[in-house]
Amino acid sequence: MKRMITRIAFQDAATFASPLLTVFAVDIAIGKEATPLPTLLTTSDTISDAAAAFLTGGEFKASVGETLLLHAPSGLKCERLLIVGLGKAKLLSPHQVRLGAGTAIRTAKLKSIRNCAIAFPEDRSLSDEALEDLPCSQTTRALVEGAYIADFDPDTYSTDRKDKSIDVLSVVSSTPERSTQMEIQEGFAEGNILGTSIAFTQALVNEPGNVLTPTVLGGRAKAMCIEFGIQCEVYSTPKLKELGMGAFLGVTQGSAEPPALIVMTYDPPSAPAAGTPVFGLVGKGITFDTGGISIKGADGMEKMKYDMAGAAAMIGAMRAIAQLKPAARVISVVCSAENMPSGTAYKPGDVLTAMSGKTIEVMNTDAEGRLVLADGLHYAKQLGATQLIDAATLTGACVVALGVNNAGLFSNDEATCEAFQTAMRRAGESFWRLPCTDDYKEYIKSSIADIMNTGMNRWGGAISGAMFLKEFVGDTPWIHLDIAGVAWVENQRSYIAKGPSGVAVRSIVEWVRELSPKP
Ligand code: BES
Ligand code: ZN
Ligand code: ZN
């Protein structure tokens, strides 16, 4: 994969030579009805003067995602000045900068500009209070992340693909303060780690099912682990049998493609003190979900190649963790298989015995994700995980409940869930908590076995999925992320192409860091 080169320049953005310089703008008018007062987030008079006439004209309001392009701006070294709106000044946060940087990159790509610069948001006119919400390190990190996410385009296999990926991104800051420069540098380094890891996840999710089989996914994970110096084992059917992973095996048996059980382990540079959490990151890696014998309809089935987005998020998170080096052990278990109908496929009515010993009545072979995760979660616990998190494109019901703006969040532990919510806010991602209290247990009660793999009816389908998983985590604090609605962007936005979103990587990494001992 060709990589965007990123660099920092500490100089006045007005003197920075570039085909395209982006400067952010906010609306400082107070109140909903007020006439917008777009203001550039720069301390450079030259830049402000160059744009003044366009900002006072009323046509640019600095609303989120709005852009204004000026050619040959007077007094500036850049060939074009792109002004990107970040919305109301009062609502300014690093996340707005993430989206703004994404908008800048998408705009540059549309114009086949491969070398661009973004001026770090600096300000004179905002109150101290507003600036407090824009810490340098976090803001730089968000800016770089947003740029990588936006640089991704899904047309990998188009033969007349005009590779419009960005070659060079420069972040330009005029700050003379050494300490601020160091903060910006720190955020820049983190942004590069997270940004490239999210792009890695996006690339995996984008792959078609015929290319990215479970074996190939295992190979990609292994190569990544070798590159970043963490352990990785990729197992297949014999190991699943040895471990007694009856639920996972049930799903795999209809496919000619062998499954992959991918186990990645990160160990911190020095041995953690006793009592330090061990994280277990479990991902659903169905490389194609036909539904199996309970086959899906033809409409939209091609999208089921992204049914491994949970796995890809975990692999991407491990890629970032290997570089950020938190002071705790992190184990990731990815369960990858194809869900196919065939003469050897598992059938509705079959009873499977999970690794934990629990028996499962298969009501619907299309509820396969929870089956592979059941064994993955149990195995992660057996490997020593004391904090579990799983990510899965688990249910259409979650999409019905929350749409595409929020993913589902479930947890059996308040402290762990709060830590995750703190992490997701910092990461700028949206997960909405749904219940999985024991009163829902009756939904998955089976008459022949311990539990069944669907709810008794269609009501609360996302919750039934979570309740099923909960059966396999026991007392271990656990988070379940149902990313079915958010892993694939159906309608492109100003900051992201139609295609894989790379969701959950940032929140998972941030959660691990939140609960790890601080240096
Ligand atoms: N992979 C699907 C869920 C899904 C739906 C992902 C839409 C992305 C977009 C999952 O395996 C599935 O088919 N779930 C069933 C469960 C049902 C049979 C209980 C569903 O949601 O319909
Ligand atoms: Zn399914
Ligand atoms: Zn599925």
Side-chain angles (χ1 to χ4, degrees):
M1 193 169 58
K2 193 184 117 318
R3 290 265 168 78
M4 175 167 78
I5 295 168
T6 53
R7 57 185 186 205
I8 312 183
F10 290 112
Q11 72 181 77
D12 179 354
T15 65
F16 192 81
S18 165
L20 181 78
L21 171 71
T22 293
V23 175
F24 297 121
V26 288
D27 173 13
I28 59 169
I30 298 180
K32 266 201 183 123
E33 307 302 323
T35 309
L37 288 171
T39 306
L40 293 186
L41 291 180
T42 178
T43 49
S44 158
D45 288 336
T46 322
I47 298 179
S48 297
D49 291 348
F54 300 92
L55 295 186
T56 48
E59 68 198 73
F60 179 78
K61 302 180 174 58
S63 54
V64 179
E66 193 182 355
T67 57
L68 180 69
L69 184 65
L70 312 179
H71 286 262
S74 79
L76 308 193
K77 272 277 172 61
C78 59
E79 292 162 34
R80 304 168 191 83
L81 177 65
L82 176 68
I83 302 173
V84 173
L86 301 185
K88 287 273 184 199
K90 224 175 68 184
L91 301 175
L92 192 58
S93 71
H95 186 54
Q96 300 307 327
V97 174
R98 185 180 286 109
L99 302 185
T103 302
I105 295 293
R106 297 298 307 159
T107 308
K109 292 189 77 164
L110 209 66
K111 300 187 181 305
S112 302
I113 299 169
R114 289 156 172 273
N115 183 330
C116 44
I118 300 181
F120 184 81
E122 284 161 355
D123 168 75
R124 277 180 308 205
S125 46
L126 296 184
S127 69
D128 285 351
E129 210 180 313
L131 277 182
E132 260 172 36
D133 294 333
L134 224 51
C136 289
S137 169
Q138 274 188 53
T139 303
T140 315
R141 181 186 141 175
L143 188 157
V144 177
E145 286 169 356
Y148 275 106
I149 296 166
D151 191 36
F152 187 84
D153 263 303
D155 58 344
T156 337
Y157 290 94
S158 167
T159 50
D160 65 349
R161 180 176 205 231
K162 296 177 189 59
D163 186 355
K164 287 184 188 146
S165 60
I166 302 291
D167 292 328
V168 184
L169 166 70
S170 308
V171 180
V172 190
S173 161
S174 71
T175 183
E177 302 281 339
R178 188 74 196 111
S179 61
T180 312
Q181 291 186 353
M182 277 163 70
E183 275 182 54
I184 289 178
Q185 248 145 0
E186 182 193 297
F188 178 78
E190 289 192 2
N192 274 297
I193 292 171
L194 265 309
T196 51
S197 297
I198 295 166
F200 181 78
T201 294
Q202 288 175 298
L204 286 177
V205 175
N206 194 47
E207 290 287 23
N210 63 329
V211 172
L212 197 92
T213 60
T215 310
V216 171
L217 182 65
R220 300 259 181 117
K222 180 105 197 183
M224 179 282 285
C225 290
I226 291 171
E227 184 180 351
F228 295 100
I230 61 173
Q231 290 174 56
C232 179
E233 301 295 336
V234 183
Y235 305 105
S236 195
T237 311
K239 180 75 172 183
L240 270 59
K241 287 189 174 152
E242 182 193 316
L243 291 169
M245 291 184 156
F248 187 176
L249 276 164
V251 175
T252 72
Q253 75 191 39
S255 172
E257 284 295 336
L261 170 66
I262 307 165
V263 183
M264 295 164 276
T265 311
Y266 158 80
D267 274 306
S270 42
T276 304
V278 175
F279 297 93
L281 279 45
V282 182
K284 169 179 174 182
I286 301 298
T287 56
F288 197 79
D289 182 10
T290 64
I293 297 296
S294 317
I295 198 159
K296 290 180 182 293
D299 268 2
M301 201 206 268
E302 75 288 344
K303 279 182 56 194
M304 282 302 115
K305 69 169 190 174
Y306 86 79
D307 213 16
M308 35 60 73
M314 293 314 181
I315 301 170
M318 290 305 281
R319 187 186 180 282
I321 286 165
Q323 298 169 76
L324 293 168
K325 303 195 190 305
R329 179 165 226 228
V330 187
I331 304 165
S332 176
V333 175
V334 165
C335 301
S336 183
E338 262 186 357
N339 188 21
M340 298 289 278
S342 78
T344 60
Y346 77 138
K347 306 170 289 297
D350 285 2
V351 174
L352 307 174
T353 305
M355 187 183 174
S356 74
K358 280 217 159 93
T359 55
I360 304 158
E361 179 184 12
V362 177
M363 299 299 285
N364 189 317
T365 63
D366 199 8
E368 83 297 338
R370 62 199 73 181
L371 293 171
V372 305
L373 290 174
D375 286 337
L377 287 163
H378 185 81
Y379 188 45
K381 250 189 354 173
Q382 202 181 73
L383 292 175
T386 61
Q387 288 276 341
L388 289 168
I389 189 162
D390 75 72
T393 44
L394 203 71
T395 66
C398 193
V399 195
V400 173
L402 298 173
V404 297
N405 305 52
N406 280 274
L409 162 65
F410 300 83
S411 181
N412 62 351
D413 184 89
E414 294 314 302
T416 296
C417 191
E418 270 166 36
F420 183 84
Q421 285 168 318
T422 304
M424 80 174 198
R425 274 183 215 112
R426 209 176 292 146
E429 293 192 307
S430 308
F431 294 85
W432 198 265
R433 192 172 182 188
L434 294 169
C436 59
T437 41
D438 284 341
D439 50 324
Y440 285 102
K441 221 167 155 172
E442 59 175 318
Y443 283 38
I444 55 166
K445 209 164 169 266
S446 161
S447 51
I448 185 174
D450 296 334
I451 47 175
M452 53 187 192
N453 79 331
T454 66
M456 51 191 162
N457 53 39
R458 290 159 59 86
W459 299 351
I463 300 172
S464 301
M467 289 308 291
F468 183 92
L469 299 179
K470 196 181 170 197
E471 290 289 315
F472 298 90
V473 298
D475 296 332
T476 308
W478 155 77
I479 303 269
H480 160 53
L481 306 176
D482 192 335
I483 58 171
V486 299
W488 192 269
V489 178
E490 210 32 62
N491 301 314
Q492 63 163 5
R493 315 256 182 204
S494 70
Y495 50 85
I496 192 167
K498 172 177 174 163
S501 67
V503 69
V505 174
R506 295 199 303 273
S507 299
I508 293 164
V509 172
E510 212 50 52
W511 175 74
V512 166
R513 294 171 99 193
E514 174 75 19
L515 291 177
S516 295
K518 303 287 175 295

